[in-house]
Amino acid sequence: MAVSTQTHNHAFAAPFALLVRLGAKVHAGIRALQMARMLSTLSSMSDHQLAQVGISRSDIPKYAATLMDNE
């Protein structure tokens, strides 16, 4: 008994789509954790240390976002 290609592809499409969505959510969660850790680390630095890096305290969110985008 032959299984049609269309039926065979459909049988894998739904689970594959679920895995793709799950992977995207996991990736987004990991990125959010990385961003939170980076913000925490930068925020815990002294103003002198931040100045050595070349940023001010008000620049921390933008700087962290730039670092994340370049990763």
Side-chain angles (χ1 to χ4, degrees):
M1 174 177 262
V3 176
S4 75
T5 305
Q6 185 177 14
T7 303
H8 185 69
N9 287 340
H10 181 68
F12 290 105
F16 182 73
L18 178 64
L19 286 175
V20 168
R21 286 193 307 272
L22 180 61
K25 288 183 187 244
V26 168
H27 183 259
I30 289 170
R31 299 255 321 154
L33 288 172
Q34 288 173 325
M35 179 63 122
R37 178 180 252 171
M38 188 177 309
L39 289 170
S40 175
T41 300
L42 289 169
S43 295
S44 70
M45 294 172 71
S46 70
D47 289 338
H48 177 73
Q49 289 170 319
L50 290 172
Q52 288 179 321
V53 177
I55 63 171
S56 65
R57 193 156 301 280
S58 63
D59 294 332
I60 289 174
K62 182 180 176 186
Y63 184 73
T66 300
L67 288 175
M68 291 296 293
D69 289 342
N70 291 333
E71 188 176 278

